[in-house]
Structure formats: C-alpha cells, structure tokens
Amino acid sequence: PKPNPEIYLKALNRLNLKSEECLVVEDSLNGVKAAMQSGVSVLKVDSVNDVTYQNVKNKINQIENNLTVEKIK
C-alpha cells in the first residue's frame, strides 16, 4: 500500500530504468510520497484533465533545467 515505493521500484527494475529517467504522474498525496521515495520525478495532478502534453513537457523541462544547474555547481 502507498506510500510504500515498492511498486515504483519494481517497475524501474522490470523496465531496466533508472529513477532519473522516469516521470510519474500522480493524483494522490500518498502516491506522490511513494513515487518521491523511489527517487523518480513526480508531476502532481488534481484530475485527468491536468495530464496534458504541455504540463508534462513543462515538468520535463523543469527537471532537465535542475539537472543542468546541479552539474554546473
């Protein structure tokens, strides 16, 4: 049960992905907590209507910009 990150960790393992290669879209607080505990980036949405190309693209850009800033430091 959430906020246990096990389901996200299993998915990463089965798909052979690193946490920094993934973005989880979540609509519940416990889901957000579980996803964050697994190390993946999270796009918190209130409803299915919030899952738009633009919102996903903006979150990916935000993640990439943060990674660039961290590399510069």
Side-chain angles (χ1 to χ4, degrees):
K2 294 180 183 178
N4 188 331
E6 180 181 7
I7 190 70
Y8 297 109
L9 297 172
K10 282 185 177 183
L12 290 170
N13 186 46
R14 285 191 181 175
L15 296 170
N16 197 29
L17 294 170
K18 298 175 185 174
S19 59
E20 57 269 15
E21 298 173 318
C22 299
L23 174 64
V24 169
V25 178
E26 260 295 347
D27 65 345
S28 74
L29 181 57
N30 281 337
V32 169
K33 288 178 182 179
M36 291 177 70
Q37 288 174 10
S38 73
V40 300
S41 296
V42 181
L43 172 60
K44 168 73 170 96
V45 297
D46 293 320
S47 76
V48 69
N49 297 325
D50 296 330
V51 185
T52 64
Y53 172 78
Q54 193 61 51
N55 285 344
V56 172
K57 182 179 173 188
N58 288 344
K59 184 64 177 182
I60 291 170
N61 287 337
Q62 178 187 16
I63 293 164
E64 289 176 341
N65 288 338
N66 288 342
L67 291 174
T68 302
V69 170
E70 288 177 14
K71 287 181 182 179
I72 292 173
K73 289 181 180 179

